[in-house]
Amino acid sequence: MRYPLIAPNPPRLSAHVEALRRVEASGVFSNNGPEVRAFEAEATETLFGGRGASLAVGNATLGLMIALREAAGDHPAGRYALMPALTFAATAQAALWAGLTPLICDIDPNDWGASAEAEERLLREYGDRIAVLLPYATFGNAIDLDRYAWLQRQHGVGVVIDAAASLGTRDASGEGFGADAPFAVVHSMHATKTFAVAEGGLIHSGDTRLIDRLRAMTNFGFEAGRNATLPGLNAKLPEVIAVMARAKLAEIDTVCDHRAALEEAYRTHLVGVDFQQAEGQRRASQFMPILLPEGMGPRRDAISAALEAEGIGCGRYFSPHLGEQPLFQREAMILPTPIADSVAGRMLSLPVSDTLSVADISTISATFNRILAKEARVPATPRARPIASLLLVGGGPAGTALLTAAAKRGRLPELAASGLVIAERDDGLGEGTLGRYAITSDSTAETFLSAVKDSPHPELATMIDHPSARVVARYVGALGVPLVDAGRFVRATGERLHGLVHRHGGTVLTGHEVLSTRATAGGLWSSRLRRRSDGVEFEQLSNAVAIATGGHQPLDRLVTQRVGGVALVSEVGDRLMQSDEALSLGGPAKIADLLSTRRNPKIVIIGGSTSAIATIVLLLKTASIPFGAGAITLLHREPLRPFYPTPEAARAEGFTDFGPDDICPVSGFVYRLAGFRLEARELVLRMLRIDGRTPDPRLTVHQVTGDDDPVTRAHLAEADIVIAALGYRPRALPIHDAKGARIALAADHGAAMVDRHCRIVDASGAPIPGLYGIGLAAGFVPWGKLGGEASFSGQANGLWQWQNDVGAMIVDQVLDDAVRAVA
């Protein structure tokens, strides 16, 4: 016997000849005729307790389109429809047709609906750029509509519910799902749904005026007469289909009760799988969704084939999810979706239909259990390569900058094919921690966009039109890009780089961290990797290792830190925080909370780095902190230097504090490396009173003169909060020699991690063969054709340099070594 996944069971028109004759006699076949109006009234009464109103439409996708367009208001262009990754393509397609950009977020691990935490965080981050919330009532689940009504009121955001599979579902109170909702709830009546008709949809809302507007929109926007007053299209349900819908409505309770019994039988008989957390008293089950056990995703095709061979139909709704589909990768803003990735990768759907019995479900379950047990015994395929040419440790902004440098020179395919392995602890490449900061970048929008503009790889070149790139492009010519927006662009670019590396033979291990690396007797490096999902560890051999793990602000550095004679930890104590915490999302709110009882709050910031100035800029923008005159004090040792494009430009503004060694011989820039840029530069120019600029009265500046500075001591004693902005140190990987002894690095003693060729150096300053470093706190100083002023003594952290000459320097060395090894 065969058990199809879905067996459409719409009403037979041949059994409703009298109703068809009634349609013919009326002479009305569309345009909200008597059969459609009767169905709408009967559905409102039968399914939704007689409250609100219902509107029949040609199909659910059309219903979503008009509901979204209405909810978005007059100006949808450039705004977002926030939706979960685990839904059908129609959800995102409808948003695009309504003029909105899909903003795709992760799901809840239990009910598989949109993650409440993600939705609320994104509403805070994006504000009114989110026009509409578009949750999906996953597989007919009765999601919490009261919560969405609260979000609608709290944030002034539109709400449309995609309830495609929910017509017949009852919520926790026993009402039809969507009854009396203050927004549009859009149901499907497609032939494959539980409420099977042929093609059609039903929109319900407790707001009858909303239904009136949507009705006009389904009829070309005609509210009265034949003058279009609203955006509209033709989305009306034909009379013949309404006849079928009325017949289905008469039997829907019996159908849903039967299917609920089948679902319960599956939950009783299936072994070793995970089920969706069901919400509501009853749902209109279209099929039975299950999750294979962790680690069994790679066996899904084999399990599906075995089921089909036994006559059992199966599907994989929704795999690939929205974030994995090419159109939406081009047109949508896709956020990290680790839970959706896992759920979609393990999803299978088993048969549910009106003709199946509970005994059939027992048979199907027994067959499935047997197949699953057999496939579970198949050994997993190892994921590591035998020997990689390069293990890239870290796929954040620095790691992907190295890939970008290779791509710009057309060498990324060569690098991937030579045996590239990338290990990134997060779920995707590109963003790292970039998007977790509340400040603007110290790189221009043009720098970010240059990573993909005119790339020889079409996958990257077309990124220039990606929604995240269009957001970054708004800041061309501005003082930096908000890092939240920049982070989303580099993540989207990272996804494209991931695809390129994979396509050309490289390996990308997201969700993996590298614990350590050691030299082997044969001249290779053996690195210990751990898969974060289950803690499994394994070794990866490689010819070279590039460390791109970023920087951090170690707490132990503060223990011995003294400023102007004051020991920070022992004397400042619990008033001390580091700039990394202050600059993170939520940092200003935390500071505001700490100062809420202070009448005239005082903050001291220590350091002359970009992070110190960025902290000041951020605090001055924080309206919730009532800063008075002199409320913020900057303590710094070195002079503050603004960047200038030419000496002439500097002199024209009256800035003359530079000499020949402060001018880059390649670019002609003044303080190319040491100078502050963008927002930080503007603040420094005001501090220095350049060209008649006036300092912000809320800010005072004091240059620390030595180890015994009474002015510094006084400022620190008066401060309510002291923020240490003392720069970053590299997250250097533990490195061992062939005998297992730890190799001491120059970075361990506060020196640069790398030399002028980006090679990691030991404590004596000697480069370690096959080890490279790039990124924040690596300590690289440009030289030669890379430019830079002779007076510069710090470390350069420019994204543009990483994506160009610095990244290429590592790529060329790795590939040249690979060529020599083959020769």
Side-chain angles (χ1 to χ4, degrees):
M1 183 174 178
R2 294 199 62 81
Y3 302 100
L5 174 64
I6 294 173
N9 189 27
R12 288 173 167 78
L13 282 172
S14 59
H16 300 279
V17 173
E18 207 47 52
L20 295 176
R21 287 187 178 133
R22 190 168 63 238
V23 172
E24 290 175 345
S26 74
V28 178
F29 298 92
S30 186
N31 293 343
N32 297 306
E35 295 297 327
V36 166
R37 290 301 186 109
F39 167 62
E40 292 172 345
E42 291 164 2
T44 300
E45 184 65 34
T46 303
L47 298 176
F48 305 113
R51 299 195 299 278
S54 302
L55 169 64
V57 290
N59 60 59
T61 306
L62 289 170
L64 286 173
M65 288 164 58
I66 63 168
L68 284 166
R69 186 64 183 82
E70 193 281 336
D74 294 333
H75 303 291
R79 300 177 74 198
Y80 297 107
L82 175 56
M83 65 190 69
L86 196 73
T87 183
F88 189 51
T91 312
Q93 290 278 23
L96 290 172
W97 280 104
L100 297 163
T101 298
L103 177 61
I104 297 170
C105 71
D106 209 355
I107 62 170
D108 182 270
N110 299 313
D111 66 18
W112 307 344
S115 161
E117 184 277 329
E119 288 177 322
E120 292 170 27
R121 172 174 52 81
L122 292 169
L123 282 168
R124 292 192 300 270
E125 289 181 14
Y126 278 85
D128 61 7
R129 285 185 289 173
I130 296 177
V132 185
L133 294 178
L134 181 53
Y136 170 52
T138 315
F139 304 138
N141 230 11
I143 61 175
D144 185 357
L145 298 186
D146 289 340
R147 176 177 166 272
Y148 284 103
W150 177 81
L151 289 173
Q152 184 181 52
R153 295 190 302 270
Q154 196 78 0
H155 296 274
V157 66
V159 176
V160 174
I161 307 296
D162 183 346
S166 301
L167 200 52
T169 291
R170 289 181 184 159
D171 63 22
S173 65
E175 298 284 358
F177 178 68
D180 212 27
F183 32 66
V185 181
V186 184
H187 302 272
S188 174
M189 301 189 299
H190 189 269
T192 60
K193 294 294 189 287
T194 301
F195 197 107
V197 177
E199 189 67 89
L202 186 72
I203 306 175
H204 178 78
S205 176
D207 184 346
T208 57
R209 290 175 298 177
L210 169 60
I211 293 295
D212 288 342
R213 288 195 301 276
L214 296 179
R215 188 179 301 282
M217 293 175 72
T218 66
N219 188 30
F220 308 103
F222 297 157
E223 288 184 286
R226 297 182 68 82
N227 290 313
T229 55
L230 295 170
L233 41 72
N234 183 4
K236 299 184 294 292
L237 186 75
E239 286 287 277
V240 171
I241 303 300
V243 168
M244 300 175 72
R246 295 181 72 183
K248 197 67 184 181
L249 182 63
E251 64 182 31
I252 190 61
D253 274 339
T254 301
V255 168
C256 287
D257 285 345
H258 173 70
R259 289 178 175 234
L262 300 183
E263 177 177 342
E264 185 58 34
Y266 271 125
R267 290 177 180 267
T268 299
H269 294 297
L270 289 175
V271 176
V273 299
D274 292 325
F275 297 103
Q276 179 186 16
Q277 178 180 297
E279 305 291 347
Q281 289 189 10
R282 182 193 72 189
R283 62 175 172 176
S285 298
Q286 182 183 5
F287 43 76
M288 185 63 201
I290 60 169
L291 287 191
L292 298 174
E294 290 278 2
M296 288 294 288
R299 305 303 304 160
R300 182 170 59 178
D301 287 345
I303 293 169
S304 299
L307 287 168
E308 294 286 354
E310 299 265 6
I312 299 171
C314 62
R316 50 181 69 182
Y317 296 91
F318 297 104
S319 177
H321 64 63
L322 294 184
E324 296 169 327
Q325 298 179 35
L327 172 66
F328 308 123
Q329 288 177 342
R330 295 195 305 271
E331 300 294 338
M333 188 79 85
I334 304 170
L335 302 173
T337 56
I339 298 170
D341 296 346
S342 174
V343 168
R346 297 189 285 135
M347 180 73 72
L348 268 184
S349 307
L350 297 177
V352 169
S353 71
D354 298 343
T355 58
L356 287 176
S357 67
V358 169
D360 291 328
I361 301 305
S362 177
T363 300
I364 293 169
S365 298
T367 304
F368 177 87
N369 292 340
R370 171 170 48 82
I371 291 170
L372 181 64
K374 178 183 176 183
E375 291 298 327
R377 293 193 292 269
V378 177
T381 303
R383 298 185 65 182
R385 296 180 67 101
I387 299 178
S389 63
L390 173 66
L391 172 63
L392 177 57
V393 184
T400 50
L402 185 150
L403 302 179
T404 297
K408 284 186 172 187
R409 287 158 174 77
R411 303 199 78 179
L412 185 57
E414 181 186 358
L415 179 63
S418 71
L420 171 66
V421 173
I422 304 169
E424 165 56 37
R425 71 189 317 273
D426 286 338
D427 56 285
L429 302 185
E431 185 173 8
T433 60
L434 195 66
R436 301 174 195 171
Y437 290 96
I439 56 174
T440 58
S441 65
D442 58 359
S443 296
T444 63
E446 293 88 333
T447 294
F448 284 103
L449 296 174
S450 71
V452 299
K453 187 178 181 182
D454 301 324
S455 172
H457 300 285
E459 301 94 328
L460 295 177
T462 54
M463 268 296 300
I464 204 72
D465 296 317
H466 190 271
S468 61
R470 292 197 292 268
V471 171
V472 171
R474 295 176 193 163
Y475 299 95
V476 168
L479 298 178
V481 183
L483 287 182
V484 168
D485 293 323
R488 291 175 184 123
F489 171 70
V490 296
R491 182 180 181 88
T493 305
E495 290 175 355
R496 300 288 177 90
L497 289 166
H498 183 151
L500 272 169
V501 170
H502 178 74
R503 189 155 47 254
H504 291 285
T507 301
V508 180
L509 301 177
T510 55
H512 287 70
E513 55 191 352
V514 182
L515 305 177
S516 63
T517 192
R518 60 179 175 82
T520 70
L524 300 175
W525 289 95
S526 179
S527 302
R528 189 74 177 168
L529 280 71
R530 178 167 60 203
R531 189 167 58 207
R532 299 184 69 209
S533 62
D534 55 13
V536 170
E537 297 185 8
F538 58 94
E539 297 287 325
Q540 173 65 64
L541 290 172
S542 62
N543 292 314
V545 177
I547 298 175
T549 47
H552 68 132
Q553 295 181 329
L555 289 171
D556 55 6
R557 176 179 55 182
L558 296 181
V559 174
T560 58
Q561 187 71 46
R562 299 181 68 85
V563 177
V566 175
L568 287 184
V569 169
S570 62
E571 297 186 38
V572 175
D574 58 7
R575 294 179 291 140
L576 183 65
M577 71 165 53
Q578 300 211 72
S579 60
D580 200 66
E581 182 181 5
L583 296 172
S584 297
L585 292 172
K590 179 177 180 179
I591 292 172
D593 184 59
L594 291 172
L595 297 176
S596 60
T597 60
R598 300 293 192 271
R599 199 168 208 184
N600 296 300
K602 300 284 187 183
I603 294 179
V604 168
I605 295 163
I606 303 169
S609 64
T610 297
S611 59
I613 306 301
T615 302
I616 297 172
V617 171
L618 181 61
L619 289 174
L620 291 175
K621 291 180 181 178
T622 304
S624 57
I625 306 177
F627 289 124
I632 301 174
T633 300
L634 174 68
L635 302 177
H636 64 100
R637 289 188 183 276
E638 301 297 326
L640 303 175
R641 308 296 195 189
F643 164 86
Y644 276 97
T646 64
E648 292 74 23
R651 295 188 187 101
E653 287 200 345
F655 181 76
T656 58
D657 189 13
F658 63 92
D661 284 349
D662 302 318
I663 302 171
C664 171
V666 175
S667 64
F669 297 161
V670 178
Y671 294 121
R672 177 185 177 183
L673 302 178
F676 291 101
R677 301 190 183 218
L678 304 177
E679 275 196 310
R681 177 179 184 271
E682 289 302 306
L683 184 65
V684 167
L685 290 174
R686 290 187 67 183
M687 292 181 197
L688 299 178
R689 301 177 183 270
I690 300 299
D691 199 29
R693 291 174 173 85
T694 304
D696 191 308
R698 295 171 293 176
L699 174 64
T700 61
V701 180
H702 174 68
Q703 187 167 358
V704 181
T705 56
D707 293 333
D708 185 17
D709 185 339
V711 176
T712 294
R713 291 200 303 273
H715 281 303
L716 290 172
E718 295 172 3
D720 298 301
I721 294 176
V722 176
I723 301 174
L726 302 173
Y728 290 82
R729 300 299 305 152
R731 289 192 181 94
L733 196 67
I735 299 169
H736 301 86
D737 62 22
K739 296 180 180 179
R742 181 78 174 260
I743 299 176
L745 304 180
D748 298 336
H749 305 285
M753 185 171 76
V754 300
D755 67 4
R756 62 191 337 216
H757 298 286
C758 292
R759 299 173 299 188
I760 294 176
V761 293
D762 64 20
S764 70
I768 305 172
L771 294 187
Y772 302 92
I774 186 173
L776 183 67
F780 176 78
V781 178
W783 58 282
K785 67 175 185 177
L786 277 65
E789 63 270 23
S791 61
F792 181 69
S793 60
Q795 55 185 9
N797 292 316
L799 180 62
W800 189 90
Q801 292 175 328
W802 299 349
Q803 292 176 347
N804 289 277
D805 293 324
V806 177
M809 183 184 296
I810 297 175
V811 171
D812 290 345
Q813 290 177 87
V814 168
L815 289 179
D816 289 348
D817 286 346
V819 169
R820 282 193 291 270
V822 171

